[in-house]
Amino acid sequence: MTHPPTSSAVPPPGSGAPTAPVIPPQPGGDPGRSVAPPDRPAGPPCPPRRTAFAEGVDRLRAAATTEPGRLRTIGAVLALLVIAFGAVTAWQMTDRATAADDVLHKSQPLSSAAADVYRSLADANTAAASGFLAGGGETKETRDRYEQDIRTAATGLVTAAGNSDAGSPAARTIARLNRLLPEYKGLVERARTYNRQGFPVGGAYLRYANEKMQKEMLPAAEDLYQRENQRLNADYASARPYPWAAIALGVLTLAALAWAQHRHYRRTHRILNQGLVAATATATVALLWLVVGHGLARAALDDSYDHGVRSLSVLQDARIASLKARGNENLTLVSRGAQTVKADGRTYDAYDYDFGKDMEALGRGLAEAQRLADDRAGRQPVTAAVGNMTEWKKRHTTARTADEDGFYEQALDKVIGPKGATGECFDSVDANLAKSLTHEQGEFQQAAGDGLDAMTGLPVGAAVLALLGGAGAVLGIGRRLSEYR
């Protein structure tokens, strides 16, 4: 039995000699011979595998070098610009329309309500002094006026409380007034009770009530009035500014659309692309609507402020000054020189001195109201109030002369008497100022309403036009892309 020959180059198994790997015989080679693998030089390392994002960027870059790729990019940018223009317009005009609505339906009515609280408190104080002077002869009209003023002030505080934020300074002021109002009423009732019984202490209670009103309640009411005016001014500041971001974006959008259509004409010699023309038309309409609509709204809001809010503020201040003057005039007779003040080296009755300062404030207010009045209906009652104030001063001087000469009853008749008294002048001043306030309130509502109407529908309209314009831009570019298929 014979064994296959073995190569002497291969050591037998178990000899301990190293063995080389056996390479299978190659075609045409010696089948009995093992071949060692050749030595291979080390090659360069394999490059790292690229991410999908990088490959996508390369594809986009390559696609952008072709005309279809450039058209797709242009279409996307145009659609984005048109929609962004509509979105910014809708956002900015929504803010302005909301602020204009607050001016008309919230902040200005609340400002007027706060002024009514102040006026009602001052008028209640005046009515209480008038009733005290009349003593047992207090008329039903005077008593009813006092009660009505107290109810009006309480109602105004409830309204203000419902529209104020919990824990805010305004809410704290309202809570303070709600606490002081019953205290004031209690002092007035005690003064009336003692006065009917003929006890002089009634005058002291009335002076104490007046001090609480003048030093605590009216300053708090004035603070509430100022805070509501600040809210009103803030709403005006939000409603009136031009929407520059939307306007600038609209101009940029139209410029981009014009450039795209010019490029289309240069490459195809076609004058119009229906989609791009539609996008341009919608953007133009939206921009014109924005500029004209907000311009009209701003003009109307400016008019409502200049000839409405400012006039109302001046008239409210003048009316409050007349009420304070009337209250101090009555208290001059109540105190009968019990309280004095020194000024200019002379001694004056404290309440009569304050009466003079209040009449000066009334005169300044009426002069400013005449200047701001822009029509005959608003100017006529103010002019009449000026005449009433002049006559009031004359009658007051006569009454003070009688009181200083010791004719108290005669002075009392000239202040609260049924005929020829200063009370008639005060009532005429108050009535004319109320008439002028009603007129100016109507002027404000008309102008502010026109401003709000000018912005009505603009936010929604701009959004709809933007969607239509974006669709037009996409369709216009899509029509060009179809020519490459």
Side-chain angles (χ1 to χ4, degrees), residues 106-116 225 228-229 232 309 316:
K106 189 174 181 180
S107 54
Q108 197 282 326
L110 284 175
S111 176
S112 294
D116 285 341
Y225 176 54
E228 295 301 339
N229 276 344
L232 175 61
V309 172
Q316 291 280 14

Side-chain angles (χ1 to χ4, degrees), residues 130 159 181 206 302 387 400 404 406 421 468:
S130 298
T159 301
L181 189 58
L206 186 64
D302 287 342
R400 291 301 305 141
E404 290 172 356
L468 294 176

Side-chain angles (χ1 to χ4, degrees), residues 283-328:
T284 302
V285 170
L287 183 60
L288 288 176
W289 190 1
L290 171 64
V291 173
V292 175
H294 186 268
L296 292 175
R298 180 185 173 91
L301 288 171
D302 287 342
D303 184 63
S304 72
Y305 186 84
D306 293 336
H307 300 106
V309 172
R310 290 179 61 192
S311 295
L312 287 169
S313 179
V314 169
L315 289 168
Q316 291 280 14
D317 290 342
R319 196 178 188 190
I320 289 169
S322 71
L323 289 164
K324 292 172 71 174
R326 179 59 176 172
N328 283 318

Side-chain angles (χ1 to χ4, degrees), residues 146-449:
Y146 168 80
E147 295 294 344
Q148 179 62 43
D149 287 333
I150 294 297
R151 285 194 296 270
T152 301
T155 302
L157 290 174
V158 170
T159 301
N163 289 277
S164 62
D165 298 329
S168 65
R172 290 193 293 270
T173 300
I174 294 168
R176 186 183 177 200
L177 283 170
N178 280 324
R179 186 183 69 255
L180 291 173
L181 189 58
E183 295 178 7
Y184 172 80
K185 287 182 63 180
L187 291 172
V188 169
E189 292 306 320
R190 287 186 182 183
R192 281 175 171 164
T193 300
Y194 287 124
N195 188 46
R196 292 192 189 100
Q197 296 174 1
F199 296 148
V201 73
Y205 272 105
L206 186 64
R207 289 193 300 272
Y208 186 33
N210 176 74
E211 185 177 357
K212 183 176 288 290
M213 176 65 73
Q214 297 291 344
K215 295 185 178 180
E216 297 184 58
M217 298 178 69
L218 289 183
E222 184 177 8
D223 179 68
L224 179 63
Y225 176 54
Q226 294 298 333
R227 291 185 187 280
E228 295 301 339
N229 276 344
Q230 290 174 4
R231 183 189 301 189
L232 175 61
N233 291 332
D235 286 337
Y236 266 107
S238 298
R240 294 165 61 187
Y242 284 106
W244 291 116
I247 293 174
L249 195 53
V251 172
L252 177 63
T253 300
L254 289 177
L257 287 168
W259 173 83
Q261 290 174 90
H262 179 67
R263 181 181 185 279
H264 172 75
Y265 170 73
R266 287 174 54 193
R267 290 178 177 271
T268 64
H269 298 289
R270 298 171 188 167
I271 298 177
L272 298 177
N273 178 291
Q274 294 178 352
L276 295 180
V277 168
T280 303
T282 57
T284 302
V285 170
L287 183 60
L288 288 176
W289 190 1
L290 171 64
V291 173
V292 175
H294 186 268
L296 292 175
R298 180 185 173 91
L301 288 171
D302 287 342
D303 184 63
S304 72
Y305 186 84
D306 293 336
H307 300 106
V309 172
R310 290 179 61 192
S311 295
L312 287 169
S313 179
V314 169
L315 289 168
Q316 291 280 14
D317 290 342
R319 196 178 188 190
I320 289 169
S322 71
L323 289 164
K324 292 172 71 174
R326 179 59 176 172
N328 283 318
E329 183 178 46
N330 291 336
L331 287 167
T332 302
L333 295 177
V334 173
S335 68
R336 305 186 70 172
Q339 294 186 3
T340 59
V341 63
K342 289 186 177 182
D344 303 328
R346 296 176 57 186
T347 301
Y348 298 90
D349 181 276
Y351 295 110
D352 190 50
Y353 182 77
D354 289 340
F355 169 85
K357 293 197 300 182
D358 293 332
M359 292 300 283
E360 290 177 2
L362 174 61
R364 291 192 300 268
L366 291 177
E368 182 67 10
Q370 281 184 309
R371 188 185 69 83
L372 292 175
D374 58 343
D375 56 8
R376 183 175 179 274
R379 191 178 301 109
Q380 184 176 7
V382 178
T383 302
V386 172
N388 301 144
M389 180 190 67
T390 303
E391 181 63 23
W392 186 359
K393 288 180 178 180
K394 293 178 180 178
R395 296 184 183 184
H396 176 79
T397 301
T398 303
R400 291 301 305 141
T401 300
D403 185 35
E404 290 172 356
D405 291 342
F407 301 102
Y408 179 78
E409 293 298 330
Q410 184 179 351
L412 187 64
D413 188 60
K414 291 182 179 298
V415 173
I416 63 170
K419 187 177 181 180
T422 59
E424 293 179 348
C425 300
F426 162 72
D427 290 337
S428 297
V429 169
D430 191 68
N432 281 307
L433 288 177
K435 182 178 180 181
S436 185
L437 279 166
T438 300
H439 172 76
E440 296 299 336
Q441 183 71 26
E443 292 285 304
F444 162 79
Q445 290 178 345
Q446 179 66 42

Side-chain angles (χ1 to χ4, degrees), residues 123-146:
D123 193 52
N125 199 46
T126 299
S130 298
F132 184 90
L133 286 174
E138 181 181 11
T139 63
K140 182 177 183 300
E141 289 76 12
T142 302
R143 180 70 180 182
D144 289 344
R145 181 172 182 168
Y146 168 80

